[in-house]
Amino acid sequence: MTDTSTGPNQPAPRETILQIAPYIPGKSAAADIATRHKLSSNETPLGPSPKAVAAYAEVAKRLADYPDGSAGELRAAIAERFGLNPDHIVCGAGSDEILSLLAQAYLNPGDEALFTEHGFLVYRLATLAAGGVPVAVPERDLTADVDALLAAVTGRTQIVFLANPNNPTGTYLPFEEVRRLHAGLPADVLLVLDAAYAEYVRRNDYDSGLSLVADNANVVMTRTFSKIHGLAGLRLGWVYAPGPVADVLNRVRGPFNITAPALAAGIAAVKDTTWTDKAAAHNDVWLPRVTGTLETLGLPVTPSVANFVLVHFPEDTGRTAADADAHLVAQGIFLRRMEAYGLPGALRMTIGSAEANQAVVDALATFLGREPVEA
Ligand SMILES: *Cc1c(COP(=O)(O)O)cnc(C)c1O
């Protein structure tokens, strides 16, 4: 740990900042082991659209020029793809930047931001960095609980963050439940719908919430290029927001917060729906197969609608998630440990390539002393 002591003779940060446990990203390299399969950060095994890679490479010729600070062409491409008003779109260096900007802009010191018990960790970090008070609200069956969220609202609540589907549980709320949550919130509380995995969901009762944003002054929806678009390395996300919220974000964001290569790649990626269809189709095949195979091995899996699964190691198996992780890491297979999410008995596995999925199943079969099975 770094030295976090403070004293009268040195600059002191805002008090809540030292409560932040630094974010530990998914493992991708062990000193002595070659990474064979990185399934720890929910990236797509297909990688980005070749058109996005070509657009990125083209920008190498013009790196001396500042990017378009308004991200105009990218916002136009997103607006066309989803039938939105481009003036209500703001782009960020990853949706993480947008979540942080929302916290900075809408929380005064002492204001509360709500999120669910096993919700995405960035909500807590962004809240504390802004001087706010993070409030984790109990879930039911590893799923957001609208009644519990509404019961947790106080006079100090300013933001409710909801990942739908949620990472790391993979569970989701039907749109009716999201609507009920919104209807129960005071008009001055901002509802942030984080739809990072929306493209993977195959449920008739799911909706990312665009219509809720269009019809209300207190709802925003965030999206990312890091997951189905395969551009996590470029840092690109966007938010659809009511006019006044978009205006606030445009005041607080850096004037050139999106790099030129990210703009170019994002424009090409959002237009290449053939590529995202392919990535979603891969998940449609492998999400149920991986889920079923792991359960055959005796490992309960939380039903997921996204491109990852939460795999449980029940106490009665006598094998812990930490032991399983060590076994996998020794073979160059990286899943995500879940201690930071309050789920020490589980690992999160991103749906990978056919080869990667089989490698995990084989390694876990060996770990559990079971016969090999086909993923
Ligand atoms: C991965 C993820 C994001 C995306 O973050 P970026 O900063 O856009 O890479 C946002 N929300 C959730 C819940 C995620 O899992």
Side-chain angles (χ1 to χ4, degrees):
M1 240 357 249
T2 40
D3 181 8
T4 54
S5 60
T6 52
N9 298 319
Q10 63 189 72
R14 184 180 273 160
E15 260 175 53
T16 50
I17 286 175
L18 296 182
Q19 296 170 30
I20 298 174
Y23 186 83
I24 301 170
K27 270 189 290 244
S28 55
D32 47 346
I33 305 150
T35 303
R36 287 171 56 221
H37 301 296
K38 181 181 188 294
L39 303 174
S40 56
S41 299
N42 299 345
E43 296 127 333
T44 167
L46 277 66
S49 156
K51 291 176 182 164
V53 177
Y56 168 88
E58 188 61 27
V59 178
K61 298 170 185 160
R62 299 188 305 275
L63 292 180
D65 300 337
Y66 272 97
D68 167 15
S70 76
E73 205 185 325
L74 175 58
R75 288 186 299 108
I78 294 168
E80 186 173 325
R81 165 83 180 73
F82 293 98
L84 305 175
N85 178 348
D87 296 340
H88 290 217
I89 295 169
V90 180
C91 297
S95 44
D96 285 357
E97 184 190 27
I98 291 163
L99 298 170
S100 292
L101 294 175
L102 287 167
Q104 273 180 47
Y106 288 94
L107 296 176
N108 282 301
D111 284 344
E112 294 166 358
L114 307 188
F115 44 84
T116 67
E117 190 179 355
H118 305 296
F120 188 43
L121 278 182
V122 168
Y123 309 147
R124 173 184 296 276
L125 308 193
T127 300
L128 287 169
V133 178
V135 180
V137 178
E139 299 177 359
R140 202 186 317 147
D141 297 333
L142 297 177
T143 307
D145 179 343
V146 169
D147 295 310
L149 281 164
L150 291 175
V153 173
T154 73
R156 300 238 50 173
T157 307
Q158 284 281 102
I159 300 180
V160 176
F161 289 107
L162 179 75
N164 199 30
N166 183 50
N167 170 17
T169 54
T171 58
Y172 78 108
L173 283 186
F175 192 44
E176 269 312 300
E177 279 290 279
V178 176
R179 258 209 270 262
R180 189 165 75 83
L181 172 62
H182 173 258
L185 291 176
D188 61 349
V189 172
L190 182 67
L191 176 60
V192 179
L193 300 173
D194 177 346
Y197 301 95
E199 298 89 344
Y200 287 112
V201 185
R202 296 279 183 263
R203 289 291 188 282
N204 290 334
D205 59 357
Y206 174 80
D207 188 292
S208 67
L210 287 169
S211 61
L212 214 49
V213 178
D215 296 342
N216 295 280
N218 68 333
V219 187
V220 303
M221 184 217 56
T222 61
R223 291 284 187 102
T224 181
F225 283 84
S226 299
K227 303 291 157 57
I228 201 159
H229 291 292
L231 294 172
L234 280 184
R235 313 306 304 125
L236 187 60
W238 56 280
V239 63
Y240 191 54
V245 178
D247 173 66
V248 163
L249 291 173
N250 280 321
R251 290 170 195 255
V252 292
R253 71 178 173 84
F256 302 103
N257 61 330
I258 315 295
T259 67
L263 288 175
I267 291 161
V270 82
K271 290 180 176 172
D272 193 352
T273 52
T274 307
W275 191 260
T276 46
D277 287 349
K278 212 164 103 175
H282 176 86
N283 202 59
D284 291 342
V285 171
W286 283 101
L287 176 66
R289 279 179 71 162
V290 167
T291 302
T293 309
L294 293 175
E295 293 199 315
T296 303
L297 289 175
L299 301 172
V301 175
T302 301
S304 170
V305 296
N307 70 329
F308 55 86
V309 286
L310 192 61
V311 190
H312 301 269
F313 294 80
E315 271 172 36
D316 59 15
T317 60
R319 312 308 312 266
T320 66
D323 289 344
D325 186 54
H327 179 83
L328 292 164
V329 167
Q331 301 180 43
I333 300 171
F334 299 97
L335 272 51
R336 186 65 154 263
R337 294 277 290 265
M338 288 283 109
E339 281 85 352
Y341 283 96
L343 297 163
L347 296 177
R348 191 194 64 201
M349 171 187 171
T350 305
I351 300 300
S353 64
E355 185 200 350
N357 297 334
Q358 185 65 55
V360 174
V361 168
D362 287 345
L364 287 175
T366 310
F367 171 73
L368 296 164
R370 310 275 296 229
E371 292 296 314
V373 282
E374 195 184 326

